[in-house]
Amino acid sequence: MFSALLDTCVLWPSLQRDFLLSLAVEGMYRPVWSAAILEELEHHEAKKLVRRGEQKDKAAVRARSLIDRMRSAFNDAEVHGWESLEGTYGLPDVDDEHVLAAAVVAGAGAIVTHNVKDFPRSKVPDGIGVILPADFAASTVELEPVRAFDAVVAIAERSGRVGPRVTADDVLDALVERYEMTYAVYLIRQALCAD
């Protein structure tokens, strides 16, 4: 199965994370990450919750719970043994070295990130693509758009526990409006019309 390393910046936006991980739950690819990525995510998630009015201690608990749920749901996603490669690639931003090191150790075919410019082609080993989340979503959805819609339905069915209840159409609209996943959503809607 195709493995893709999900960078922190891709996992931080809640709905984008939910969509990409729901595609993985549907068996459309295997997500991978490192402990360093999860630590960054936990830190940024807690800060986001505090900015939204959550008390600091409660935000920390919720952020920790998110990481625990991710580790539990994807118990083979966390990559180990990447540390010795960190700092060996000469990336423009040394803080991104751990991302590339984890992708190499995981045998990932792609690094999904918003920071594409920080992973120049000349520094990334052959066989690893660096791709924006909207492009990754489109190429993944293109394989089985109806199955991708099942992931969207699952997101809608989970909604309402925190925040408002949403429909599958609401989720698709938000993926376009917030994350520019226009082509992925187009593919899903076209497949539904064809059925």
Side-chain angles (χ1 to χ4, degrees), residues 76-93:
D76 68 338
E78 195 166 327
V79 180
H80 302 281
W82 52 267
E83 295 84 355
S84 65
L85 294 177
E86 186 176 15
T88 64
Y89 298 102
L91 294 178
D93 184 347

Side-chain angles (χ1 to χ4, degrees), residues 52-71:
R52 291 182 178 172
E54 194 89 39
Q55 291 181 342
K56 193 173 183 177
D57 56 341
K58 192 171 181 183
V61 169
R62 284 185 57 194
R64 165 68 10 212
S65 176
L66 168 65
I67 301 307
D68 291 345
R69 287 192 318 271
M70 287 173 63
R71 281 186 165 132

Side-chain angles (χ1 to χ4, degrees), residues 123-135:
K123 303 289 184 181
V124 177
D126 291 339
I128 300 176
V130 180
I131 187 169
L132 292 166
D135 295 335

Side-chain angles (χ1 to χ4, degrees), residues 14-43:
S14 302
L15 179 59
Q16 180 172 268
R17 174 183 61 238
D18 201 359
F19 180 56
L20 293 176
L21 293 181
S22 293
L23 292 175
V25 167
E26 291 297 323
M28 299 183 76
Y29 77 101
R30 176 181 171 243
V32 293
W33 46 65
S34 67
I37 287 171
L38 293 182
E39 286 169 18
E40 286 179 355
L41 177 59
E42 183 176 353
H43 170 76

Side-chain angles (χ1 to χ4, degrees), residues 47-175:
K47 283 177 64 173
K48 174 174 69 176
L49 292 170
V50 168
R51 277 195 310 276
R52 291 182 178 172
E54 194 89 39
Q55 291 181 342
K56 193 173 183 177
D57 56 341
K58 192 171 181 183
V61 169
R62 284 185 57 194
R64 165 68 10 212
S65 176
L66 168 65
I67 301 307
D68 291 345
R69 287 192 318 271
M70 287 173 63
R71 281 186 165 132
S72 176
F74 302 99
N75 60 7
D76 68 338
E78 195 166 327
V79 180
H80 302 281
W82 52 267
E83 295 84 355
S84 65
L85 294 177
E86 186 176 15
T88 64
Y89 298 102
L91 294 178
D93 184 347
V94 70
D95 291 339
D96 290 322
E97 287 277 336
H98 70 95
V99 174
L100 182 51
V104 168
V105 171
I111 295 171
V112 184
T113 184
H114 286 290
N115 302 323
V116 174
K117 66 176 176 30
D118 291 337
F119 297 91
R121 183 73 258 156
S122 62
K123 303 289 184 181
V124 177
D126 291 339
I128 300 176
V130 180
I131 187 169
L132 292 166
D135 295 335
F136 176 73
S139 64
T140 303
V141 167
E142 193 168 33
L143 299 172
E144 295 185 65
V146 173
R147 198 171 184 186
F149 182 66
D150 292 341
V152 171
V153 169
I155 293 169
E157 289 174 351
R158 286 191 302 270
S159 71
R161 285 184 251 160
V162 175
R165 190 109 173 100
V166 297
T167 66
D169 271 332
D170 295 333
V171 172
L172 291 171
D173 290 344
L175 290 172

